[in-house]
Structures are given as C-alpha cells and as structure tokens.
C-alpha cells in the first residue's frame, strides 16, 4: 500500500455492513482513495463493499469504485447505511496498480465510514 498517496485506512476484523458480519476488511472515510502497488502477478481483487455498521447515525450515501492502472474497472451504485454489501470482483491480470475509491453519492451531514469487507488481492 502506498501510504503517502492514500487516505487513512483502518484494518479491521469482525466488521459489519448491512447487518452482516464479515471476518476482515478495511474501513475508510466517505471520501477516500487507497493506492496499492501490485509487486507481483495478481489475478483478481474481490471484496464486499458497503457503509460500515459504525455509521449508524449517517444519512449519507456513498459510491465505491475500483481502478487498475488508472482505468475504472468497477463502480457500485449509491449505497446507504441499511443496504447490504455489494460483491466486488475485478480482474487484475497484467495490471501493476490498484486504487480503491469511495465518494459521497448524495446527501448527509454526518461522517460516514465505508468498508471493503473480506477484501482479497489474489496473487501468485
């Protein structure tokens, strides 16, 4: 992870999204970018993305995006606090970098936490 080019990241175990508990993942704020250099051959990125259960009072919605080598490969719809996590499956064959982005999609005046639950980069 390129910490100098990334927003803050909270690595967690036992996080919750949409009333479902996940084993691990990362939590970020609702305006974030996490940069990852792929230093070997990787085949895919997978996760479940959604508003974190710690954001119980939020009224905001967020949108998740996954980029590889500067090209957007996946984007979610607008997700709110009660929405279930959405599946993310992105191929990474031949790619050298990965960027995970979360943006506000609408409304809300309270801070919102977003999570990439069960996030895995599959590499050789």
């Amino acid at each position: 992870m390129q910490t100098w080019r990334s927003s803050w990241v909270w690595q967690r175990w036992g996080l919750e999204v949409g009333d479902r508990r996940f084993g691990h993942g990362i939590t970020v704020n609702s305006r974030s970018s996490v940069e990852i250099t792929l230093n070997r051959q990787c085949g895919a990125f997978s996760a479940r993305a959604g508003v974190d259960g710690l954001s119980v009072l939020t009224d905001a919605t967020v949108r998740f995006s996954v980029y590889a080598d500067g090209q957007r490969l996946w984007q979610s719809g607008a997700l709110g606090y009660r929405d279930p996590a959405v599946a993310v499956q992105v191929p990474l064959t031949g790619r050298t970098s990965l960027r995970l982005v979360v943006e506000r999609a609408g409304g809300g005046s309270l801070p919102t936490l977003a999570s990439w639950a069960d996030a895995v980069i599959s590499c050789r």
Side-chain angles (χ1 to χ4, degrees), residues 16 36 75-76 85-86 89 92 94 100 107 120 122:
E16 187 177 311
I36 301 165
Q75 185 175 53
S76 73
V86 296
Q89 183 70 36
L92 295 176
L100 308 177
V120 174
S122 302

Side-chain angles (χ1 to χ4, degrees), residues 1-20:
M1 188 170 94
Q2 295 182 6
T3 55
W4 65 94
R5 295 181 65 181
S6 297
S7 306
W8 68 266
V9 174
W10 180 13
Q11 187 174 357
R12 297 177 55 206
W13 287 265
L15 56 94
E16 187 177 311
V17 175
D19 293 328
R20 181 175 167 198

Side-chain angles (χ1 to χ4, degrees), residues 40-102:
R40 56 186 160 185
Q41 292 182 5
C42 298
F45 169 74
S46 62
R48 305 287 292 184
V51 174
D52 192 272
L54 294 175
S55 293
V56 66
L57 298 177
T58 192
D59 54 351
T61 57
V62 298
R63 181 170 285 115
F64 294 79
S65 298
V66 178
Y67 293 79
D69 296 341
Q71 178 184 14
R72 186 172 66 206
L73 301 179
W74 180 86
Q75 185 175 53
S76 73
L79 297 170
Y81 172 72
R82 298 232 182 259
D83 293 327
V86 296
V88 181
Q89 183 70 36
V90 177
L92 295 176
T93 303
R95 305 294 183 155
T96 60
S97 68
L98 176 67
R99 184 164 63 108
L100 308 177
V101 175
V102 179

